[in-house]
Amino acid sequence: MSYSMKLIRRTQVAILASLTFACVSGCNRESSNEAIGHGQNALQNGDYPAAIRHLKRAVKLNPSNEILYFNLGMAQLLSKDYPSAITAFDQAEKLNIDGNTEALEGLAEARRQLGDYAGAIQAFERAIEKVNRKAHLVAGMAVCEMEQGNDENAYELLQQALGTDNHEPVALFNMAVLMQKPKYNEPQKAAELYARFLLESNNKSTYP
């Protein structure tokens, strides 16, 4: 299981209860609320090009709204437009005031997808500073290390993640992958970890 799969499954699209109605007088373009509503619906329905189009309009009309930038970043991430996603997530993080880590996680994933592992790990580290090393963030760093062939670093990080939360699916899956490698050669342990991963993946409470 890649970190991106976990991020996509773990992240709920943020629905805004209300925003100031902003419409351009004498113009038939979307109002602020229309752009937000259309963008959110398209994102939830998997129509990412439409989501991007509407959410770009929404952020233009609401340039100080963190959630809109985050959702735009998610739509761009899922569309594999990683450079644009980085820009959106970075702006969402700049606007963040409540200490959540979602924008930094999105930023890390977009950078990882581009092969910018140093940038991805830096984003994870910034997130960890906010929340004191949550397991899924440490597991995300481990994925970056594994993809660079740094198995020893990955092993240490996965051990830390599972030591904090032994139900963490990304950590379970990737530790199972490591245990199958010749360097570790523990197929029985790998099978046990993979079975636990499947159990956690089927547990709806793991993915709100």
Side-chain angles (χ1 to χ4, degrees):
M1 180 184 226
S2 69
Y3 187 83
S4 58
M5 290 173 63
K6 176 68 181 293
L7 176 64
I8 292 164
R9 293 181 68 178
R10 196 174 60 80
T11 304
Q12 294 180 330
V13 177
I15 302 298
L16 303 182
S18 63
L19 275 174
T20 303
F21 187 89
C23 107
V24 180
S25 178
C27 179
N28 61 3
R29 296 185 68 185
E30 286 180 311
S31 70
S32 174
N33 285 354
E34 288 170 340
I36 292 167
H38 293 156
Q40 304 281 26
N41 289 335
L43 181 54
Q44 288 181 312
N45 292 330
D47 186 353
Y48 305 127
I52 291 169
R53 184 172 65 254
H54 294 299
L55 289 169
K56 280 184 175 180
R57 168 71 175 165
V59 298
K60 184 176 182 180
L61 295 172
N62 301 275
S64 299
N65 192 284
E66 169 199 351
I67 296 173
L68 293 179
Y69 277 105
F70 175 77
N71 285 338
L72 175 59
M74 283 301 297
Q76 291 165 330
L77 178 66
L78 293 166
S79 295
K80 301 184 180 181
D81 182 359
Y82 304 123
S84 295
I86 287 170
T87 299
F89 287 132
D90 187 58
Q91 186 61 28
E93 174 59 19
K94 288 177 181 177
L95 294 169
N96 177 258
I97 58 173
D98 64 5
N100 69 64
T101 64
E102 281 80 0
L104 284 171
E105 292 179 57
L107 181 61
E109 179 56 18
R111 290 196 178 281
R112 185 185 75 82
Q113 292 290 349
L114 284 176
D116 178 10
Y117 295 110
I121 289 173
Q122 183 181 58
F124 278 125
E125 288 174 340
R126 288 169 61 194
I128 286 169
E129 289 176 0
K130 288 188 173 187
V131 293
N132 192 24
R133 297 185 72 81
K134 280 196 173 180
H136 73 278
L137 299 173
V138 178
M141 292 175 64
V143 171
C144 292
E145 295 289 1
M146 285 179 68
E147 291 182 352
Q148 297 177 87
N150 300 328
D151 289 347
E152 290 185 9
N153 291 346
Y155 179 82
E156 291 181 7
L157 289 166
L158 292 171
Q159 286 278 70
Q160 291 175 29
L162 291 171
T164 303
D165 179 3
N166 63 6
H167 300 288
E168 214 305 299
V170 173
L172 288 170
F173 179 85
N174 287 287
M175 185 65 90
V177 171
L178 275 184
M179 291 301 99
Q180 295 180 73
K181 292 191 173 186
K183 179 177 180 178
Y184 298 97
N185 193 27
E186 295 191 42
Q188 185 173 350
K189 185 172 182 180
E192 175 191 342
L193 289 163
Y194 187 67
R196 288 170 56 195
F197 159 73
L198 291 176
L199 181 64
E200 294 302 326
S201 297
N202 290 328
N203 183 350
K204 292 182 180 180
S205 66
T206 304
Y207 302 102

